[in-house]
């Protein structure tokens, strides 16, 4: 084994150990496990009133205490963290009002840093299309694969606000990878956290976080922030492994082991833009897959089985004609392509060079587009990494980046280089 490879492995291990230590620092000894909540699909809390009450994007419709746990067996709660599940107002990609669910987590210990306690609006990576995948639920079950990252942020004294995004938890299909919807959900989640009286976060500075699908969400939130949420004091954004151009991503995934993610995105776009009428392009195999996918969660036996059935399949295996070749689909995909506007806040964008899911070239194109438009961008690549290890490697860099922004340290980015 070469010295370089050994260093890579040590770095990955150090990241994992650091996350585990951060989580352990928050864990307490609980007297009893919390009440076992039912999944969102059977929980009336997630069903919004109809019609929605009058209000602004980010207003809290309802909230209730919740328990954050990293124990998937006894579900012992973590001491030192107070949590709430929330239902809040957001907007669809087309600007229509909608209700989105999420979770707000606040360390009980007083903030000792400068100014008000920061809040990180955390955009999760791919969960699936089923309501049971919603992070506001999985974070109460000890089954969320990003719970270590959330715990690390909490251990620094930051509050964390996690959106479920449109249609994940709440009724209706999840608008998976529709950037304009996801970006608004992230910004409105920050607003909801600030407007939740019990959280004590009014006027808090905000950081944005996201990798993979979350990278799309965070990137869009950074692009929309100036026009959509100018009152938020956003200090910086992390966007890693970003699917910026879904046409390029789809072409890279077609025929690959991860083609199922492309099919999920097709469902997401059909949910956001009903005129796309995905079903009219599907053959019998496609209709069967669509039926299976509606409740699919990535980290589940059924989800793994469904995705395994799509390994190395192509668009043509499920369609009578390719929707990506039609003007209607191309127009909607183009409207959700990142890079048309420079983020108004400092951004850390990371990318694994050998990412087998998110093509490096389209991420590099995004970085160059943002730089050309004058963004304050720090671009960092990881040579010996693919998608999952790219996420691990990004975590300590992203935490340090946001910590420096919350501390008021200046950053000039590296676009000139």
């Amino acid at each position: 084994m070469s010295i370089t490879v050994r260093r890579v492995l040590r770095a990955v291990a150090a990241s994992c150990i650091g996350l585990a230590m951060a989580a352990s620092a928050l864990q307490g000894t609980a007297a009893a496990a919390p009440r076992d909540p039912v999944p969102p699909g059977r929980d009336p809390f997630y069903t919004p009133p109809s019609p929605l009450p009058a209000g602004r994007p980010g207003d809290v419709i309802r909230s209730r205490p919740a328990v954050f746990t990293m124990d998937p067996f006894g579900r012992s709660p973590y001491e030192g963290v107070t949590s709430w599940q929330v239902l809040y107002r957001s907007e669809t990609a087309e600007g229509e009002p909608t209700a989105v669910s999420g979770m707000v987590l606040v360390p009980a210990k007083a903030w000792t840093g400068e100014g008000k306690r920061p809040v990180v609006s955390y955009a999760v990576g791919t969960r699936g299309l089923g309501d049971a995948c919603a992070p506001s639920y999985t974070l109460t079950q000890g089954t969320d694969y990003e719970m270590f990252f959330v715990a690390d942020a909490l251990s620094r004294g930051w509050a964390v606000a996690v959106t479920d995004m449109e249609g994940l938890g709440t009724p209706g299909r999840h608008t998976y990878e529709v950037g304009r919807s996801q970006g608004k959900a992230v910004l409105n989640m920050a607003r909801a956290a600030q407007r939740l009286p019990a959280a004590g976060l009014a006027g808090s500075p905000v950081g944005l976080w996201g990798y993979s699908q979350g990278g799309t969400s965070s990137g869009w939130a950074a692009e929309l922030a100036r026009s959509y949420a100018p009152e938020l004091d956003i200090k910086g954004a992390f966007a890693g492994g970003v699917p910026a151009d879904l046409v390029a991503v789809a072409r890279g995934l077609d025929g690959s082991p991860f083609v199922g993610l492309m099919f999920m995105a097709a469902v997401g776009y059909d949910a956001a833009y009903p005129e796309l009428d995905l079903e009219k392009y599907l053959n019998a195999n496609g209709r069967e897959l669509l039926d299976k996918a509606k409740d699919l969660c990535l980290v589940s036996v059924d989800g793994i089985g469904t995705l395994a059935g799509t390994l190395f399949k192509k668009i043509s295996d499920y369609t009578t004609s390719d929707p990506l070749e039609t003007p209607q689909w191309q127009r909607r995909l183009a409207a959700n392509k990142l890079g048309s506007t420079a983020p108004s806040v400092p951004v850390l964008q990371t990318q694994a060079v050998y990412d087998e899911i998110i093509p490096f070239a389209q991420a590099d194109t995004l970085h160059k587009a943002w730089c050309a438009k004058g963004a304050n961008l720090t671009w960092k690549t990881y040579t010996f990494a693919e998608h999952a290890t790219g996420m691990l490697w990004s975590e300590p860099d992203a935490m340090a980046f946001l910590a420096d922004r919350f501390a008021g340290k200046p950053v000039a980015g590296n676009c000139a280089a």
Side-chain angles (χ1 to χ4, degrees):
M1 184 182 296
S2 71
I3 293 175
T4 300
V5 172
R6 284 197 296 270
R7 286 175 178 168
V8 168
L9 294 175
R10 280 199 299 269
V12 172
S15 297
C16 295
I17 292 168
L19 290 171
M21 289 175 65
S24 298
L26 291 169
Q27 189 173 22
T29 303
R35 178 182 66 84
D36 188 15
V38 298
R42 295 189 285 114
D43 188 342
F45 177 86
Y46 287 86
T47 301
S50 182
L52 289 179
R56 303 166 294 162
D59 281 355
V60 177
I61 298 169
R62 65 170 70 114
S63 65
R64 68 182 180 190
V67 174
F68 171 53
T69 180
M70 295 178 64
D71 173 12
F73 303 105
R75 295 203 258 293
S76 300
Y78 273 71
E79 289 182 354
V81 177
T82 305
S83 307
W84 301 265
Q85 289 167 325
V86 297
L87 192 69
Y88 66 96
R89 286 180 63 103
S90 190
E91 290 183 340
T92 68
E94 296 281 70
E96 295 298 319
T98 190
V100 173
S101 50
M103 192 166 181
V104 179
L105 306 95
V106 181
K109 188 176 179 180
W111 171 248
T112 58
E114 294 291 327
K116 295 177 180 284
R117 185 193 303 276
V119 57
V120 175
S121 192
Y122 192 109
V124 299
T126 299
R127 290 299 189 272
L129 300 175
D131 288 337
C133 319
S136 69
Y137 174 69
T138 57
L139 286 168
T140 70
Q141 301 297 292
T143 57
D144 196 280
Y145 69 78
E146 291 181 68
M147 59 189 176
F148 286 103
F149 296 173
V150 170
D152 193 4
L154 292 167
S155 74
R156 296 167 185 264
W158 307 338
V160 179
V162 185
T163 179
D164 291 338
M165 298 166 290
E166 185 182 348
L168 199 60
T170 49
R173 285 186 296 165
H174 174 35
T175 53
Y176 177 68
E177 278 299 9
V178 178
R180 291 183 178 274
S181 168
Q182 293 175 183
K184 291 176 183 178
V186 169
L187 293 171
N188 288 323
M189 185 72 246
R191 285 167 161 164
Q194 292 184 344
R195 295 174 193 172
L196 183 67
L201 298 172
S204 287
V206 175
L208 308 177
W209 174 292
Y211 187 89
S212 194
Q213 181 191 4
T216 303
S217 303
S218 181
W220 266 104
E223 282 199 5
L224 290 171
R226 178 184 286 141
S227 60
Y228 187 76
E231 83 285 3
L232 290 179
D233 182 17
I234 301 177
K235 299 298 187 182
F238 160 62
V242 184
D245 179 352
L246 287 195
V247 174
V249 174
R251 294 308 183 199
L253 291 176
D254 197 21
S256 79
F258 307 99
V259 67
L261 300 175
M262 177 183 64
F263 298 143
M264 285 172 51
V267 174
Y269 271 76
D270 187 59
Y273 306 110
E275 82 278 5
L276 294 179
D277 195 8
L278 174 63
E279 195 161 355
K280 77 178 182 183
Y281 298 94
L282 302 179
N283 60 23
N285 290 333
R287 290 191 294 272
E288 181 183 2
L289 180 61
L290 180 63
D291 184 62
K292 288 180 179 178
K294 62 184 179 182
D295 295 318
L296 180 147
C297 288
L298 200 64
V299 185
S300 70
V301 174
D302 290 342
I304 293 171
T306 298
L307 290 175
T310 67
L311 293 175
F312 303 106
K313 297 289 187 180
K314 299 184 75 66
I315 293 174
S316 57
D317 292 320
Y318 295 97
T319 62
T320 55
S321 60
D322 187 350
L324 294 179
E325 299 294 339
T326 66
Q328 297 93 333
W329 279 80
Q330 289 172 356
R331 181 168 63 89
R332 292 304 192 180
L333 289 163
N336 287 275
K337 180 180 177 181
L338 277 167
S340 62
T341 303
S344 55
V345 301
V347 176
L348 168 66
Q349 183 192 352
T350 66
Q351 180 67 35
V353 172
Y354 295 109
D355 195 317
E356 74 282 27
I357 297 174
I358 308 303
F360 180 91
Q362 59 89 48
D364 188 37
T365 297
L366 172 64
H367 129 248
K368 290 174 179 173
W370 275 345
C371 283
K373 291 176 174 61
N376 183 348
L377 177 67
T378 301
W379 163 250
K380 184 165 186 178
T381 62
Y382 304 105
T383 303
F384 297 101
E386 43 67 67
H387 193 67
T389 51
M391 184 178 189
L392 281 175
W393 283 40
S394 295
E395 197 275 347
D397 288 333
M399 285 291 176
F401 181 83
L402 288 183
D404 285 347
R405 304 294 76 73
F406 289 145
K409 296 181 181 180
V411 59
N414 56 9
C415 282

